[in-house]
Amino acid sequence: HVQLVESGGGSVEPGGSLRLSCVISNNVYKGYLMAWFRQAPGKEREGVAAICGSGYTDYAGSVAGRFTVSKDNAKNALYLQMNNLRPEDTAMYYCAAARIGFPSLARYLFGYWGQGTQVTVS
């Protein structure tokens, strides 16, 4: 049974920072592509940042230079450090996993999803 559990969301003022965490079932962690997606009300879910098993990363243009994705293999954890947050970053953020060995933000590749954590910037 695959589980991804996010935490760390909350409310912050523009310019502030938040760090999201995602704890992942051990059986899907090693070698998998891990990513953060987000979905704002009335909008489609979009890829934010991804990191593959070898450590290569991919970012959406809207967050490049402000967000950093990382993982801790010892803790089976995925992180998203978000700095200089903007109101347009407000969304539900989801952790996702895919049986892929290269970095990608293509949503159709991801078969495992967490329940999401809310981020509000205002």
Side-chain angles (χ1 to χ4, degrees):
H1 179 61
V2 175
Q3 280 193 309
L4 294 83
V5 180
E6 305 94 335
S7 62
S11 295
V12 64
E13 294 182 349
S17 298
L18 282 174
R19 188 191 193 208
L20 305 183
S21 299
C22 174
V23 176
I24 307 141
S25 299
N26 186 58
N27 60 333
V28 300
Y29 187 78
K30 292 179 174 58
Y32 276 53
L33 173 65
M34 307 299 304
W36 290 97
F37 284 74
R38 67 185 181 186
Q39 187 168 18
K43 295 187 177 181
E44 293 198 357
R45 193 171 298 189
E46 62 175 356
V48 174
I51 183 167
C52 66
S54 60
Y56 286 101
T57 58
D58 190 16
Y59 292 93
S62 59
V63 307
R66 300 188 297 123
F67 291 11
T68 302
V69 62
S70 62
K71 60 180 182 173
D72 185 333
N73 291 334
K75 297 181 179 180
N76 285 0
L78 178 73
Y79 304 104
L80 185 67
Q81 178 66 43
M82 305 185 293
N83 298 327
N84 192 20
L85 283 160
R86 304 167 180 169
E88 54 264 39
D89 294 318
T90 296
M92 185 72 78
Y93 282 70
Y94 298 89
C95 174
R99 294 184 177 183
I100 300 293
F102 55 86
S104 175
L105 290 174
R107 181 181 171 183
Y108 73 92
L109 294 173
F110 292 84
Y112 305 102
W113 295 87
Q115 294 301 306
T117 185
Q118 178 68 38
V119 171
T120 302
V121 185
S122 65

